Amino acid sequence: MDQRPPDHITAAPSLAAKPPIVTLDGVSKAYANGTVALRDVNLSIGRAQFVSLLGPSGCGKSTLLRLIAGLGDLTGGRIDWPGSAKASDGTPKRDLGFVFQEPTLMPWANVFDNVYLPLKLGRLSRKQARPRIMDALAMVGLEKFERSYPRELSGGMKMRVSIARALITRPSVLLMDEPFAALDEITRFRLNDDLLRLWAGRDWTVIFVTHSVYESVYLSNRIVVMGARPGRITADLAIDAPYPRSEAFRMIPAYNEYCRMVSAELHATMGEASPE
Amino acid sequence: MSTSAEPVAQRADRRLIALRIALPILVGVVFLGTWQILVTWLQVPKFVLPAPSLIATAFVDDFASLMGSLWFTLTVTVEAFILAVVGGVALAVLFSQSEIVATALFPYAVILQVTPVVSIAPLIIIWVGYDNVRVALLILAWIVAFFPVLSNTTLGLRSTDHNLRNLMQLYGASRWRILTEVQFPSALPYLLAGMKISGGLSLIGAVVAEFVAGSGASTGLAWRIIEAGNRLDIPRMFAALALLSVLGIAIFGVLSAFEYLMLRHWHESAVRREN
Ligand SMILES: Nc1ncnc2c1ncn2[C@@H]1O[C@H](COP(=O)(O)OP(=O)(O)OP(=O)(O)O)[C@@H](O)[C@H]1O
Ligand SMILES: [Mg+2]
């Protein structure tokens, strides 16, 4: 903790104690058209953290997530993966799962083949991959749709296929960009619980972009609030409620307290008075 | 609910297909009938406009030689078309892999495309030699036909969903893998549209080149038309013309069917919308 740069916004001690899996140092990103999407972002994310990125539309959440995944070049600063093995060309070998804000499915391939893609690239045969794919599809409730084409699915179903595809490689870091935004509340709650169960079962990291204060509090043990123009981190909050969390968690006073706190931070970021 | 909706949709479908076949045939029959009646009634001389019945007779009389010519033109067209697709796709892949190669070569592809084939045909025929006219026809038809495949496939390879490409990079896919797994399938609808244009152009190229080659060195349908024209044998000319049209329609039909087969599961152009 003491090795961090002084301007680093530190999370609560219980989280900071975990060894960092990825660190961002003064990360900036300007797009070719001159938009400064991110300015001087410092962030250190530890193993086994469930981090939510929360912020108004256009504040650079997607940009940040893509940069962490190594998609697109930084305009300034650096991103390090301290513990990761290096590939032969020196770039860190990260096993990431990524859920894009759009479903990003191959329209010419059915659901099964879309989920199979990462394993296919890993040279696993279709037959070997089958049980894993069916498990992943069952988890998102789509086991009956393995032969359907993306155009035959609803927006939410497409998103669930995309989630199944991200989980299929059992990544150690899962990056998700508003994965549940298109879903109804019941499915959303169910997938929230499924995600938490998966996360609890293994020592992995989730970085989760969302617009929903409630969702971020329910899921994460850390919430990073971002502000817009230019995109930057304005608050870094720990949610110190124990796991496993379930529906009952939504009923306890602490949950409401956290929601109020996060909501106040978000309003402060957006330059408005808190509604209370 | 769906059980009753399905047969209705299928029945409507079948009726639509029947209509699509019957309607053009009906138009054709009415057209030919009117033609026959008018020509007989107005006593139009047969070297100006022969009656359909005369054309049919000419077709039967010259069946063997016309079929030989049809076969010649067909094979030249198909070979040029296959070479155009292979060459166009190969060039497009090359262009997509290297911006430098694309920038350097694309203008020349355009030049080749915009130069009228009639104007370079004599040159090519002289270079290849009069005893090799078939090869010259092949080259000329190829020049006319390859560009739509090249430009469409290039566009298709470029318009792959950006996130899909990112996803492939994320999983460490090689360029070749990205090309085969996502770029090529995304480009397929574009390629197929290019092939439909290219199929017609191959035929046009083969025929135009044969016209330029003139002489009796080649024996395609174009030569039959020239020959009949020289002898003022107009019914025979019409018979050859009709064969050319049928060939053109057949090429278009086969390529359209192929396109539908390839895209029916997923592409907007081939999928029947239900809303
Ligand atoms: N490819 C691009 N080219 C230019 N500007 C871009 C590009 N992508 C994003 N931006 C700009 O960068 C800023 C941040 O965009 P980003 O997509 O990261 O926002 P976001 O926080 O994910 O928003 P949302 O919650 O609406 O998804 C925006 O102002 C946007 O206009
Ligand atoms: Mg976004």
Side-chain angles (χ1 to χ4, degrees):
Chain A
M1 211 176 110
D2 34 295
Q3 289 167 348
R4 292 189 188 165
D7 62 334
H8 201 284
I9 304 163
T10 28
S14 63
L15 297 170
K18 308 246 164 117
I21 186 163
V22 56
T23 59
L24 286 73
D25 258 315
V27 166
S28 300
K29 170 76 183 181
Y31 282 105
N33 64 5
T35 312
V36 180
L38 295 172
R39 180 173 292 161
D40 195 28
V41 172
N42 296 291
L43 187 65
S44 164
I45 292 173
R47 192 173 297 281
Q49 285 188 1
F50 197 125
V51 185
S52 283
L53 294 178
L54 195 65
S57 179
C59 71
K61 304 181 296 292
S62 298
T63 305
L64 186 61
L65 208 62
R66 299 177 72 96
L67 290 180
I68 292 174
L71 302 172
D73 299 322
L74 308 178
T75 351
R78 51 181 298 156
I79 296 180
D80 291 305
W81 296 79
S84 303
K86 296 275 197 291
S88 51
D89 61 347
T91 55
K93 256 209 260 174
R94 299 147 303 194
D95 61 317
L96 301 180
F98 199 109
V99 179
F100 290 88
Q101 197 165 356
E102 298 81 35
T104 314
L105 302 177
M106 304 179 288
W108 55 84
N110 63 23
V111 166
F112 183 94
D113 285 328
N114 265 290
V115 178
Y116 174 46
L117 179 72
L119 299 180
K120 188 179 183 188
L121 293 172
R123 310 212 174 279
L124 208 64
S125 79
R126 198 178 287 263
K127 210 164 146 198
Q128 287 171 299
R130 178 156 204 97
R132 275 168 74 176
I133 293 170
M134 293 321 288
D135 278 353
L137 285 179
M139 209 211 87
V140 295
L142 288 177
E143 65 273 41
K144 289 205 183 68
F145 290 88
E146 56 163 316
R147 284 173 202 282
S148 301
Y149 284 83
R151 63 171 190 87
E152 296 165 330
L153 305 178
S154 73
M157 289 159 92
K158 280 186 238 187
M159 214 56 217
R160 275 139 70 193
V161 176
S162 170
I163 293 167
R165 179 181 60 193
L167 292 173
I168 197 79
T169 55
R170 303 192 186 113
S172 64
V173 180
L174 180 62
L175 307 171
M176 305 176 95
D177 197 346
E178 298 186 34
F180 305 142
L183 301 179
D184 66 280
E185 204 165 62
I186 297 189
T187 314
R188 186 181 182 136
F189 282 180
R190 221 200 71 223
L191 284 174
N192 278 347
D193 287 333
D194 286 339
L195 184 59
L196 277 186
R197 198 166 332 113
L198 273 174
W199 175 74
R202 298 170 39 218
D203 192 25
W204 63 333
T205 307
V206 179
I207 308 177
F208 188 93
V209 172
T210 177
H211 273 138
S212 161
V213 169
Y214 305 103
E215 188 171 57
S216 66
V217 171
Y218 185 71
L219 291 174
S220 21
N221 50 23
R222 181 179 179 189
I223 297 178
V224 173
V225 181
M226 293 179 66
R229 270 165 280 281
R232 66 206 185 281
I233 294 177
T234 56
D236 193 342
L237 311 161
I239 306 299
D240 270 330
Y243 295 93
R245 296 173 186 173
S246 63
E247 279 310 307
F249 177 51
R250 295 187 205 274
M251 304 301 159
I252 64 171
Y255 172 78
N256 285 310
E257 199 44 54
Y258 279 124
C259 288
R260 234 192 312 275
M261 176 178 87
V262 173
S263 189
E265 283 294 348
L266 196 57
H267 280 94
T269 296
M270 294 168 79
E272 295 165 18
S274 181
E276 283 157 289
Chain B
M1 207 175 91
S2 64
T3 45
S4 72
E6 197 50 21
V8 172
Q10 275 176 4
R11 217 179 306 143
D13 247 20
R14 222 174 302 135
R15 206 180 306 158
L16 204 73
I17 291 171
L19 212 64
R20 259 197 208 152
I21 296 170
L23 220 53
I25 290 180
L26 186 71
V27 170
V29 169
V30 169
F31 178 74
L32 287 178
T34 320
W35 178 353
Q36 178 81 37
I37 291 166
L38 283 181
V39 165
T40 324
W41 189 40
L42 300 173
Q43 295 182 329
V44 180
K46 72 169 184 184
F47 54 85
V48 175
L49 183 64
S53 56
L54 264 180
I55 297 172
T57 318
F59 181 76
V60 174
D61 288 348
D62 286 331
F63 189 75
S65 84
L66 281 173
M67 281 301 136
S69 296
L70 176 68
W71 179 248
F72 179 87
T73 300
L74 175 70
T75 50
V76 171
T77 303
V78 169
E79 281 166 37
F81 173 70
I82 290 171
L83 292 176
V85 172
V86 172
V89 169
L91 271 177
V93 167
L94 189 68
F95 286 7
S96 77
Q97 295 302 298
S98 160
E99 198 67 37
I100 294 177
V101 175
T103 326
L105 293 187
F106 201 78
Y108 294 98
V110 175
I111 290 173
L112 218 51
Q113 164 68 11
V114 297
T115 310
V117 67
V118 189
S119 61
I120 47 171
L123 197 60
I124 302 282
I125 291 166
I126 289 168
W127 282 348
V128 177
Y130 266 93
D131 38 353
N132 260 334
V133 172
R134 194 174 189 283
V135 176
L137 298 191
L138 213 55
I139 293 172
L140 289 163
W142 183 84
I143 289 176
V144 180
F146 92 98
F147 191 77
V149 174
L150 169 64
S151 71
N152 273 29
T153 312
T154 303
L155 180 65
L157 291 174
R158 281 200 190 137
S159 37
T160 310
D161 179 353
H162 191 71
N163 282 339
L164 218 43
R165 220 188 288 201
N166 282 162
L167 187 79
M168 298 292 286
Q169 285 163 4
L170 215 63
Y171 290 119
S174 63
R175 270 163 84 150
W176 176 249
R177 241 26 231 288
I178 295 179
L179 185 74
T180 54
E181 296 290 341
V182 300
Q183 279 187 286
F184 201 74
S186 313
L188 191 62
Y190 295 81
L191 165 61
L192 290 166
M195 279 167 66
K196 269 204 307 203
I197 303 171
S198 206
L201 287 180
S202 301
L203 180 60
I204 292 175
V207 170
V208 169
E210 201 187 350
F211 265 106
V212 177
S215 83
S218 64
T219 50
L221 283 174
W223 177 247
R224 289 286 156 250
I225 290 172
I226 297 173
E227 197 183 47
N230 290 343
R231 295 184 201 156
L232 233 65
D233 188 352
I234 307 301
R236 193 178 147 103
M237 196 171 184
F238 266 95
L241 260 178
L243 272 182
L244 262 183
S245 317
V246 169
L247 184 53
I249 292 168
I251 290 172
F252 186 80
V254 167
L255 290 176
S256 297
F258 181 62
E259 182 184 35
Y260 174 76
L261 280 179
M262 299 300 284
L263 302 182
R264 74 195 142 145
H265 284 308
W266 66 277
H267 199 255
E268 285 292 343
S269 65
V271 165
R272 187 162 54 84
R273 296 302 310 183
E274 284 165 53
N275 52 20

